[in-house]
Amino acid sequence: MTEPHPIGLSIRNGSKIYPGTQALKNVDFDLRMGAVNVLVGENGAGKSTLMKVIAGVEQLNGGTIELDGKQVVFADKADATRNGVGIVFQELNLFPNLTVAENIFVGHEKTLGGIHIDGQAQRTAAAALMKRLEQNIDPDTPLGNLRIGQQQIVEIAKALAEDARILILDEPTSALSATEVEVLFRVINDLKKQGVGIVYISHRLEELIRIGDYITVLRDGVITGSRSMQGVDIPWIVANMIGSASKEFPKTVEHDLGGEVFRVEDICLPSPAGGYAVNHMSLSVREGEIVGLYGLMGAGRSELLECIMAQHPNSSGRLFISGKPVKEKSVSGRIRRGLALIPEDRKRDGLVQIMTIRENLTLSSLYDFTRGFHLSLKAEAAKAAEFVKRMAIKIASPEHPVSSLSGGNQQKVVIGKALMTKPRILLMDEPSRGIDIGAKAEIFRTMRHLAADGLGILFVTSDLEEVLALSDRILVMANGKLTGQFPAGANAADVVSAATPNLNRVETL
């Protein structure tokens, strides 16, 4: 009797080490053909690293990869592609100034006699792919004219065009509408029947249970669970994702909470895909309170913080600081009123990489160091030195470029820059993203001390343990709405259940 889903690729004792962190620790992974192999874990668990190894983007420091029973080493992505491995990255790798057809065939163009690009053949093939994906997109459309969900579809078409035997989908539905998700699932079922082995990464647990045939759970670079999807439920996934042993997070600094310092009412942000990215959200924060905002990717948490910071002119709703309405419509106006944001992507939105550590720290507070028309460099340098010491930023000189610092120290610079504006409310979007466990503990200690000094903190995280260990109160978002509110010490399964409302209950209006 033949195995219905034979193992096409396997990794044994796979290890991957980056400076300061081990992303994968002796991982054994089997990828089964003609099936959806679901990969789940918290941010930083090692999922994307494992997929990059399979796709040839990264190489293992130890261990072996076998393809069809033969040991292989993929030198690069092109080598993996030649061996039938395709990947759709979470971050889109597309060219906005090229057409849809040109994007689909970039790097493996159809040619006439190996010399000239056969544009007509590419357009015909691209049109067939769009039809297969049930999209009415003209292959000659410049990619930059498409909305993000359609661009995601083009990224998937690009992988399909390479006739991959193994297809890796990293958060493929994060930008898709419900209709587009259904189309993708139909395509996945079609590929399964053709014997393609699919690896599917998603934070949306209801998707995983619906579409998966096999599941592998990663935690801190180690596989904690691997089995057939039959009988798997959300509590099993959560237990393997977070485990029983808690990470070393700082315990609560006991202090009394003050009165309400911040309130938002009825925040709405229209979504390009239709409906709302933020759907009538209301919440409040007290002085000295750390409020954790938990949810899965695409829940609308980051968009809510951006609305609060006036980054979406088309958003609506009301804001109050200490009971007084916030009328300012600009980012600088909101900073002056006492709001500060630590953005999720510190490199893109939080820092200017070519500027010095000093310049980055004082960037939002330059008005404090101006004397008439002149900037007092002495006062600026003194304040920067004070915050370097206060935030325990490890530097050789404040005049070095901020890009020379480790991820954890760059994050401390972003936090220091925000604190220099003397905020009343600190908004933190994934404050521990991409930093090692030691730097995390330091940043969480800082959050505790700031709260003890009376600062109100609203922080977004996808890390269940973080939200449970740090929050005085937990709010949960799904599909742009508030779907749950829990006190400190809440049950992990209840919090996850509120983040996946479609699977567990009919949402009450």
Side-chain angles (χ1 to χ4, degrees), residues 94-165:
L94 298 168
F95 298 92
N97 56 327
L98 298 182
T99 68
V100 167
E102 287 166 342
N103 268 283
I104 289 172
F105 291 100
V106 73
H108 58 105
E109 290 80 1
K110 291 182 177 291
T111 58
L112 290 164
I115 301 169
H116 300 291
I117 291 174
D118 189 345
Q120 185 54 49
Q122 290 192 167
R123 282 192 292 275
T124 303
L129 282 164
M130 289 299 107
K131 189 176 179 185
R132 183 180 178 188
L133 290 163
E134 299 178 36
Q135 295 296 309
N136 185 24
I137 299 173
D138 186 333
D140 288 325
T141 306
L143 186 100
N145 292 0
L146 301 181
R147 57 181 177 75
I148 195 76
Q150 292 174 311
Q151 291 185 24
Q152 185 104 45
I153 294 280
V154 172
E155 184 78 82
I156 293 163
K158 188 174 151 189
L160 294 179
E162 294 175 350
D163 292 323
R165 291 174 52 241

Side-chain angles (χ1 to χ4, degrees), residues 384-402:
E386 178 193 323
F387 271 79
V388 164
K389 189 175 179 182
R390 178 177 167 186
M391 297 299 299
I393 307 170
K394 298 179 180 69
I395 63 169
S397 162
E399 301 309 311
H400 285 171
V402 76

